[in-house]
Amino acid sequence: MNWVLVYEEELNSNHLVQLTDERHTHIRTILKKDKENKVQVVIPGSGNYLFQIQSISDSSTTLEKIGSLPDVLNPLSIHTFFSLPRPQTGKKLLHLSGAYGVNSVYFYATESKNKEYWTSPVYSKDTLSYLETGLCQTGNHRLPNLTLAKSLPWKPFLKSWKGKIFVLDREGEDSPSVFQESIKTKEEVLFVFGPESGWKPEDILFFKDCGITMVSLGKINLRTEFAYSALLHRLFSIKN
């Protein structure tokens, strides 16, 4: 964890925050900071800041905001859609989303067999924490909007999207211009990742009927988290 995450509402009127949770433990045992040392802090929705340790003990650390830092990351203004993956994969997708600062993340159960994954803590009480690890990793301060569509059909959602949609599939169009366009356009861009077993023929037909573009990251099957990482890296390189 390169950055300590603090929410604006945790600060008091004197710009102080007292930490007693794992953030305190991290500062004390991993960063090995002491009184009057400085730490980098990311405040979601606000920016990057420098805080100074006012006091530190076995049980708590008190930090004071002393100044702002230049933004370390220019987040990716894209939206992402995932066919509900295994919980262990979901953790990685959430972390990457927070690390790169995408606009939003949508999880839909596109197949009947993956609906059971909704019962995992990854998609309930622990979801936010995995997004937060991404912010702490890179210093990105845009917390992605998250939608867990536990009982909603996915095809009407795609049909109602106001903007561009790109479906990731190895049989899709492998054109660098597609990724250039997704960064430069002013439209809302949604990247769609399907099940690792691949899209069904009726899904492919649905995309064609809706005029949805299918794009490829290469002619090999990738695990979802690797495909997502490859896409994010590619878009980030273009943007920066």
Side-chain angles (χ1 to χ4, degrees):
M1 186 163 66
N2 303 311
W3 294 77
V4 177
L5 187 145
V6 172
Y7 285 95
E8 194 74 52
E9 55 267 28
E10 292 183 287
L11 297 172
N12 66 20
S13 58
N14 294 319
H15 305 292
L16 295 171
V17 58
Q18 185 179 53
L19 307 177
T20 59
D21 52 17
E22 67 275 1
R23 293 172 294 179
H24 155 68
T25 303
H26 183 78
I27 291 170
R28 186 169 180 269
T29 63
I30 305 300
L31 299 180
K32 298 187 183 302
K33 297 291 186 177
D34 208 339
K35 184 178 179 180
E36 297 187 359
N37 287 170
K38 297 177 178 64
V39 294
Q40 296 181 126
V41 170
V42 56
I43 299 180
S46 180
N48 301 132
Y49 297 91
L50 194 63
F51 278 57
Q52 187 172 46
I53 298 175
Q54 296 302 305
S55 66
I56 187 166
S57 67
D58 290 344
S59 59
S60 70
T61 299
T62 299
L63 301 175
E64 180 184 13
K65 182 164 66 171
I66 60 174
S68 60
L69 294 171
D71 289 348
V72 298
L73 187 140
N74 190 8
L76 289 175
S77 296
I78 61 169
H79 305 268
T80 55
F81 172 108
F82 296 98
S83 175
L84 186 67
R86 295 183 299 271
Q88 289 301 317
T89 299
K91 292 179 184 180
K92 299 168 187 175
L93 300 179
L94 291 166
H95 174 85
L96 286 167
S97 298
Y100 281 91
V102 304
N103 270 336
S104 56
V105 184
Y106 298 88
F107 285 110
Y108 275 78
T110 65
E111 299 180 308
S112 58
K113 67 180 183 181
N114 64 359
K115 290 182 179 179
E116 65 189 63
Y117 297 148
W118 286 130
T119 61
S120 168
V122 172
Y123 300 117
S124 54
K125 63 183 181 70
D126 295 338
T127 314
L128 178 60
S129 67
Y130 296 115
L131 286 174
E132 292 175 336
T133 63
L135 274 69
C136 294
Q137 183 70 39
T138 64
N140 161 55
H141 59 81
R142 179 162 70 194
L143 189 65
N145 294 315
L146 178 66
T147 298
L148 302 173
K150 296 185 177 182
S151 59
L152 297 175
W154 63 281
K155 288 181 179 177
F157 168 74
L158 294 188
K159 290 184 75 171
S160 66
W161 184 261
K162 305 299 183 183
K164 288 187 174 294
I165 299 177
F166 297 109
V167 172
L168 277 297
D169 187 86
R170 69 189 181 113
E171 300 302 326
E173 177 184 355
D174 187 7
S175 172
S177 63
V178 170
F179 300 103
Q180 291 275 0
E181 177 189 0
S182 68
I183 289 297
K184 295 179 179 179
T185 183
K186 294 183 179 179
E187 292 187 75
E188 298 292 318
V189 177
L190 177 69
F191 284 96
V192 177
F193 291 80
E196 290 186 351
S197 57
W199 296 107
K200 296 178 180 179
E202 56 265 34
D203 298 333
I204 303 294
L205 182 61
F206 166 74
F207 299 142
K208 290 181 179 178
D209 289 344
C210 293
I212 294 174
T213 302
M214 298 186 68
V215 297
S216 173
L217 290 168
K219 299 302 181 181
I220 58 173
N221 281 326
L222 292 172
R223 293 180 62 169
T224 304
E225 66 268 32
F226 296 147
Y228 189 35
S229 181
L231 173 69
L232 293 173
H233 176 73
R234 192 164 183 174
L235 297 180
F236 192 76
S237 298
I238 294 171
K239 185 170 185 178
N240 294 274

